[in-house]
Amino acid sequence: MTAVSVGLPPTLVGTGDLFQLMRDGRPRTRGELAQLSSLARSTITARVDALLLSGLLQPVGEAASTGGRPPTRFAINPHDRVVLAIDLGASHATVAITDMSGEVLGQRTVDSDIADGPVTVLDRVAAIGVDLLGEHDRSIDEVAGVGIGVPGPVEHATGRPANPPIMPGWHDVDIPAHLNRHFPGPVLVDNDVNLMALGEYVTSWESSRHLLLVKVATGIGAGIVADGRLLRGALGSAGDLGHVQVAGAPDDVVCRCGNVGCLEAVAAGPAIAAKLRAGGLDVEGSQGIVDAVAAGEIAALQAVREAGRDLGTVLATCVNLLNPSVIVIGGKLSEAGEYLLAGVREVVYQRSLPLATHDLRIVSTAAGTQGGILGASAMVIDAVLSPRAVDAYVAQRTA
Amino acid sequence: MTAVSVGLPPTLVGTGDLFQLMRDGRPRTRGELAQLSSLARSTITARVDALLLSGLLQPVGEAASTGGRPPTRFAINPHDRVVLAIDLGASHATVAITDMSGEVLGQRTVDSDIADGPVTVLDRVAAIGVDLLGEHDRSIDEVAGVGIGVPGPVEHATGRPANPPIMPGWHDVDIPAHLNRHFPGPVLVDNDVNLMALGEYVTSWESSRHLLLVKVATGIGAGIVADGRLLRGALGSAGDLGHVQVAGAPDDVVCRCGNVGCLEAVAAGPAIAAKLRAGGLDVEGSQGIVDAVAAGEIAALQAVREAGRDLGTVLATCVNLLNPSVIVIGGKLSEAGEYLLAGVREVVYQRSLPLATHDLRIVSTAAGTQGGILGASAMVIDAVLSPRAVDAYVAQRTA
């Protein structure tokens, strides 16, 4: 006798609600939909007709007959519209178009300095988006929405960056308004690491509900999925792990933020590279560290593992606080393979509560550099295929 | 052009959805409801009639006439049913009945050892609940649901404690099934600190959406409200701050968990009391510390402030990770007043990111020891007044 067991009254199941039943991608007949939804056959027929007319559903062959004419099966039509997914980094931009199932149809990455400012950068990626659409014979009208990740905190509700430290000129810029000059549909903006977390979640971990993704590269940041939803915080800065004080870290290491003992100051790419150079190894940037590890340089293996331990000290706190099912390590330094992960595991399993690590998995990213694009696409698909948005779309297309 | 701006199609607005418009408690006429919901007047009339018949709404006088018969105003009926709210501690139990607005109608606190085991304790609180109902002339059938907080991690979906360290005999016990032998309606179970967070949130901070409540007493734990929802984690252990390693803490302080440098081992009641006793002050337990602070003992003020700093070191990490709008300090030691808070503020504002502390408030609990009861009641009200639950209730009452 719990609130959850109360059945959904038929009058509440609109076209958009019925459509949700199809989002798992499995083809179904009208009869199967009637059974799943408890709606009358006549209601199902009317709503399926509307969804077919709108293009959101398509017929996909026939089910086995039980006598008489075999019933038609329907499934979600992933080609109905496309999503434009954009991932802005400090020095590059990736633009992709995906179908409505999140599959990437085409993608391009270009050098692009975020410091060129919002007008230049947004017009640049919009032009690439228009190009990609043309290459794949899709029109601008077919764009269901745009998702974009930026390297800084964002007020998600308005799509405006909030005092982003490495994005000069972007504070409070209305990114949705700018991109809506080029494309129709909702424009949803989020922090790039949040979208990496979402991308990893929807492609590999949707059943686990609670995920923490940590990006380790020039900086260190995290994206949090709690109970299936991105946790963004009051001002969009949740997950900012780079300047957390590391217990046990030397207190004479001054961070670029002005504090001492920050995680970034001991475990990010620049800190590791500086340590290796001080030891006589000629290493530049995160890629240099990854190369040195690949070459089997003992000092590099040791330094990366030690960085993993520092990261693990902070993640042990995150594990006690958030109780995630999975921690995913991403970013350039995750390419250093098992050494970083081993250091993380060592400390997390030692320092976290037994209950919180009972089912905890700590893994390397599966989505890799594609995470941001996949997350941006998923964010838009989730919005434009919501029950309300589907109802509105069907009404507009069948008017 | 965002997904959120898409209007709710009228066909989707069921009786339960219409009822949500009334949950702010403001009286409205049928005409005002028609305007708010965009539903046809005839639909409004039918649904308001059903809500009146079910007892969920009541007439509350007349609006000013604009000519002709003045229209009737309706409002939510808080007396429709009652909620049973239970707060189990290690050595006491509080049982309350509240109305459907969360107002406490009656309450009793008794000594109750959680180690007496689930059957004894649950039968004990059930008997008190039956007594309270009788005292307030309410029948068991009028119970809309039961909310109960327990001092340990809980799998919220099933209402079963999960390896609770201080609740011998309670692991995996089906609390809802046991209480449903006494009362109808959903039985919702949660960790006591989670419910304190929820109670604080619904009574004082609902507009802030992101709250972290920290209970500081014999142990230290936190409840997290993120975007208006309790964050429970994969196994219900989220918010377990007590065994987080404190950066800068002496590494020779062994905690009862076996690790060193844990927050509880330096900043909880027993640690502070031990420190004061070592300094020659005769102090026992958290209450003793509060009394010593009230008496103006310098050593006590200093020790509490230092505990606040250690707490602040861990909370600075929480602030960067969760970006809350408000941190509420509760539990017995919060009665030590500004000294604990001052220590917390000192370190949080020094160690957290500027953006994350931009609008951050750090305050003492307003709900105090009532937080758990208020949270338990709010959890049940939220479940039984959800659109689906209201639809089912109206259907049952008007059949």
Side-chain angles (χ1 to χ4, degrees), chain A residues 130-210:
Chain A
V130 171
D131 269 8
L132 284 170
L133 289 168
E135 284 170 21
H136 292 81
D137 294 320
R138 308 297 295 241
S139 76
I140 286 176
D141 290 346
E142 292 176 81
V143 173
V146 182
I148 175 166
V150 301
V154 175
E155 192 187 50
H156 178 68
T158 62
R160 293 165 184 264
N163 296 299
I166 65 160
M167 298 173 66
W170 289 77
H171 172 61
D172 211 28
V173 166
D174 189 343
I175 296 178
H178 196 95
L179 286 174
N180 270 146
R181 282 185 214 127
H182 301 275
F183 305 103
V187 175
L188 303 175
V189 191
D190 210 330
N191 171 265
D192 56 349
V193 186
N194 283 355
L195 293 184
M196 282 177 70
L198 188 61
E200 200 78 30
Y201 178 70
V202 296
T203 51
S204 301
W205 297 101
E206 208 147 9
S207 64
S208 73
R209 308 293 299 161
H210 298 267

Side-chain angles (χ1 to χ4, degrees), chain A residues 150-326:
Chain A
V150 301
V154 175
E155 192 187 50
H156 178 68
T158 62
R160 293 165 184 264
N163 296 299
I166 65 160
M167 298 173 66
W170 289 77
H171 172 61
D172 211 28
V173 166
D174 189 343
I175 296 178
H178 196 95
L179 286 174
N180 270 146
R181 282 185 214 127
H182 301 275
F183 305 103
V187 175
L188 303 175
V189 191
D190 210 330
N191 171 265
D192 56 349
V193 186
N194 283 355
L195 293 184
M196 282 177 70
L198 188 61
E200 200 78 30
Y201 178 70
V202 296
T203 51
S204 301
W205 297 101
E206 208 147 9
S207 64
S208 73
R209 308 293 299 161
H210 298 267
L211 171 145
L212 181 69
L213 175 131
V214 189
K215 180 184 178 186
V216 191
T218 307
I220 296 177
I224 304 163
V225 176
D227 206 11
R229 294 157 31 122
L230 269 177
L231 192 162
R232 298 184 170 98
L235 296 171
S237 82
D240 212 330
L241 286 188
H243 303 280
V244 162
Q245 190 177 5
V246 184
D251 57 6
D252 57 349
V253 182
V254 179
C255 180
R256 64 185 168 92
C257 76
N259 264 321
V260 293
C262 295
L263 181 59
E264 267 188 28
V266 295
I272 301 174
K275 199 183 197 181
L276 292 176
R277 280 195 303 272
L281 211 59
D282 183 23
V283 163
E284 200 59 59
S286 299
Q287 183 62 54
I289 300 166
V290 170
D291 293 342
V293 168
E297 292 281 359
I298 299 288
L301 308 187
Q302 284 177 331
V304 166
R305 184 159 186 151
E306 186 59 30
R309 288 192 195 101
D310 287 331
L311 186 55
T313 301
V314 171
L315 290 179
T317 299
C318 299
V319 165
N320 286 0
L321 190 65
L322 300 171
N323 184 204
S325 315
V326 56

Side-chain angles (χ1 to χ4, degrees), chain A residues 112-127:
Chain A
S112 173
D113 191 344
I114 197 82
D116 290 342
V119 174
T120 304
V121 171
L122 293 176
D123 283 346
R124 182 182 291 148
V125 293

Side-chain angles (χ1 to χ4, degrees), chain B residues 122-140:
Chain B
L122 293 175
D123 283 345
R124 182 182 292 148
V125 294
I128 298 173
V130 171
D131 270 6
L132 283 171
L133 288 169
E135 284 170 22
H136 291 81
D137 295 321
R138 307 297 296 241
S139 75
I140 286 177

